[in-house]
Amino acid sequence: MSATIEIRSAPHVKGGYSVEKIMRHVVYSLLPVCAFFVFQYGISALASMVVITATCLLTERFFVRTGTQSGSISDFSATITGLLLALSVPPGFPLWMGVVTGFIAIALGKALFGGIGFNVFNPALVGRAFAQAAFPTAIASYTASFLPGRFTEFIPSSLAWPLMIPPETAEWLKLKQLDALAGATPLGQWKFEGIVASAVDLMTSLGGHMAVGPSPLLIIACGAYLASRRFMDWRIPAAVISSAGLVASVLYAYNPSHFPNPLFTLFSGGLMLGAIYMATDMVTSPVTSRGVWIYGGLIGLLTVVIRYFSGLPEGVMYAILFANAAMPLIERISQPAVFGAVATKKARRSAAFSLETPASTLRESKDVVIPIKVVSNNQPPKS
Amino acid sequence: MTTAVQARNFDEFMEGIWRQNPVFIMVLGMCPTLAVTVSAVNALSMGVATSFVLICSCALVSLMRNVTPKEVRIAVYIVIIATFVTVVDYAIQAISLALYDALGAFIQLIVVNCIILGRAEAHAAKNPPITSMINAAGMGIGFTIGLLSLGVVREILGAGTLFGVSLFGANFQPWVIMVLPPGGFFVLGSWLLLFSWWARRKEVAKNV
């Protein structure tokens, strides 16, 4: 009787997962969301998406080529960054700003740290945070969705000349028989005018000409696909949503006239997109099982705090970036107990070892088959 | 003057501009570098002011190097530097009040600029006046170049102008972040990245 044991470095059990495969499926699951975004805003959204993603890919290619960054363009991670970035900026975001933002996202958010697997912050959010600080007006100018003629005509701000101020969209909206208010996001309307949009409209994104992103329900469905295929840790979005919902409910119960209802908070802005696609970035989220709950809880709490108590209408981006920064600390405090280890007590002076060898330390008995050892050079076994 | 002396003096002069550039190589004097480089004019005047103080105080420190007791040398340097900073302070106030307000406390803070104190301690205290003035002039110009390269980028992107002259017309979209403190860090980081990349390329080329 004989057996063979192969000695090689981890991982020993193959699940058939690879970075490339996971990232490819994230892109697949993002496609319906992107299609919905194009359906809402027409060719402007399509152009913005193509330009930003292309910039991200070219930047990635450049830094991989020059040897400053690990990874490869074929692993789809830059595609995800580009698509998420395009989904998180307004559809009429000037294309030249999209190029700047896409470049910053990959160069500053990823290449500088050494490429895929080394970045501290979510690259898409680094790009968006830069755009928020550099172009505060452009990134806050949304336009109404489902405008007539959106598939034949660009939003005027999209085609601004490079380095120039994008033209005002208010005039253009007036031509479409819409008031200037139509360009405000539901969160902005709540923050500055006290109008709370209906939660059902927000869930589907289909209620009239609202200036919102793709439907949160669609995003949840796409996220559920990823979670069911185990390409995403479902606990992170669960923690974000439950924590944001809990904090919002407590505040709503405390003062219903001042704070919006929790459903509005959950389905407005980029909370769903952030919770499902950005907070779950495998590189920048914790791996420990208690850690993911702390991490998600922190994001939900900070989002609600920033939205309700700061000058900004939306807080998901800063909440996630903040939690990314806190990630190593979260992992440190949430280390799981090592299997078989007992809580260590202070060493006692009188501690003594048993003279008898405990039965569990006997590793071999006479009838055990001793396997033949084969040292492999880390190549998969040839069958 | 023989050619050997000329060559040595040239080396002393170039040291601050290139090999030991205070901003890009030694990364000294970061406080004014990040704070006043919002526009090219501010950067240039800050550089000129610092260079003036640097050259004059190095000359004086060098002249007094044999009579300065070792125990109180730092205090002596500070008094010398502070004297010239006061001169510069009043001069800038007289020339342009707007510039004086834009530079703010950073003119007075030249006193504690580590480039100047470092030069006084490391070079002027050990070398004759002419040599140390040449070295100080190189350092001052190197510092001015460093400030200018930050100031030019930040002014072009942050305001669309260069030395106050509009480059892109009235429709320019300013990059707000460039005139904010993070912009200073971004631009400085990018320059440092560029120089270290260049240095590494030269190293690789030499080894091949």
Side-chain angles (χ1 to χ4, degrees), chain A residues 3-361:
Chain A
T4 309
I5 187 166
E6 194 191 272
I7 300 167
R8 55 200 288 263
S9 63
H12 305 292
V13 181
K14 289 204 227 32
Y17 292 88
S18 64
V19 172
E20 190 266 338
K21 183 177 178 187
I22 295 175
M23 296 295 169
R24 199 177 66 230
H25 277 84
V26 175
V27 173
Y28 290 160
S29 78
L30 267 174
L31 288 180
V33 181
C34 296
F36 194 92
F37 195 55
V38 174
F39 172 55
Q40 279 176 301
Y41 293 103
I43 47 172
S44 297
L46 185 66
S48 153
M49 213 166 268
V50 169
V51 166
I52 293 180
T53 311
T55 313
C56 285
L57 287 171
L58 285 176
T59 314
E60 174 105 342
R61 179 81 181 142
F62 172 75
F63 283 112
V64 169
R65 246 329 204 353
T66 52
T68 38
Q69 184 187 333
S70 70
S72 145
I73 193 171
S74 64
D75 64 20
F76 285 100
S77 59
T79 318
I80 298 176
T81 302
L83 291 178
L84 286 177
L85 190 55
L87 285 172
S88 67
V89 297
F93 199 55
L95 296 177
W96 73 266
M97 291 184 189
V99 171
V100 172
T101 313
F103 174 78
I104 293 285
I106 296 290
L108 195 66
K110 201 169 166 195
L112 212 59
F113 293 99
I116 185 169
F118 296 100
N119 46 315
V120 181
F121 300 103
N122 187 322
L125 289 177
V126 171
R128 199 192 179 282
F130 182 88
Q132 174 97 55
F135 315 115
T137 342
I139 203 146
S141 358
Y142 274 81
T143 43
S145 55
F146 300 115
L147 289 175
R150 62 186 181 279
F151 291 110
T152 50
E153 163 182 38
F154 278 98
I155 299 170
S157 57
S158 281
L159 298 176
W161 286 102
L163 299 178
M164 295 299 148
I165 298 177
E168 283 286 327
T169 48
E171 282 293 309
W172 179 73
L173 281 174
K174 209 174 278 173
L175 287 178
K176 304 260 172 200
Q177 269 91 43
L178 287 164
D179 52 0
L181 196 62
T185 62
L187 273 173
Q189 287 183 358
W190 164 71
K191 186 113 195 168
F192 304 117
E193 278 138 75
I195 304 167
V196 176
S198 114
V200 179
D201 286 350
L202 286 172
M203 267 186 236
T204 57
S205 292
L206 293 172
H209 298 294
M210 286 199 305
V212 289
S215 155
L217 287 184
L218 182 68
I219 296 174
I220 293 175
C222 294
Y225 162 74
L226 281 183
S228 71
R229 295 288 306 267
R230 302 282 198 101
F231 292 133
M232 181 187 87
D233 191 343
W234 62 271
R235 292 169 298 182
I236 294 173
V240 174
I241 293 165
S242 50
S243 141
L246 187 71
V247 178
S249 309
V250 168
L251 288 172
Y252 183 63
Y254 171 68
N255 187 352
S257 59
H258 188 242
F259 298 112
N261 66 60
L263 281 178
F264 172 82
T265 302
L266 285 185
F267 291 107
S268 58
L271 184 69
M272 283 300 159
L273 191 70
I276 290 172
Y277 282 104
M278 290 169 176
T280 54
D281 180 357
M282 295 195 167
V283 183
T284 57
S285 58
V287 293
T288 56
S289 54
R290 268 179 302 159
V292 291
W293 290 105
I294 303 175
Y295 169 81
L298 186 67
I299 293 174
L301 170 73
L302 284 173
T303 303
V304 176
V305 168
I306 295 174
R307 278 187 187 177
Y308 287 9
F309 301 106
S310 82
L312 293 167
E314 175 61 306
V316 176
M317 171 180 72
Y318 290 122
I320 297 178
L321 286 174
F322 191 87
N324 284 165
M327 189 268 277
L329 295 175
I330 294 173
E331 280 197 337
R332 186 180 290 183
I333 60 166
S334 62
Q335 285 298 320
V338 177
F339 179 68
V342 283
T344 42
K345 294 174 193 153
K346 272 192 177 171
R348 279 176 296 155
R349 272 166 198 278
S350 58
F353 291 100
S354 160
L355 291 174
E356 294 159 81
T357 314
S360 60
T361 62

Side-chain angles (χ1 to χ4, degrees), chain B residues 18 197-207:
Chain B
W18 192 246
W197 172 75
W198 195 355
R200 204 176 61 174
R201 243 174 81 111
K202 256 171 49 180
E203 194 95 329
V204 170
K206 215 191 301 176
N207 290 343

Side-chain angles (χ1 to χ4, degrees), chain B residues 32-33 35-50 99 103 143-152 155 163:
Chain B
T33 305
V36 302
T37 52
V38 176
S39 71
V41 173
N42 287 5
L44 183 65
S45 35
M46 188 69 199
V48 170
T50 311
L99 183 65
L103 294 180
F143 186 61
T144 313
I145 291 172
L147 290 188
L148 259 183
S149 42
L150 259 81
V152 166
E155 190 180 340
F163 291 102

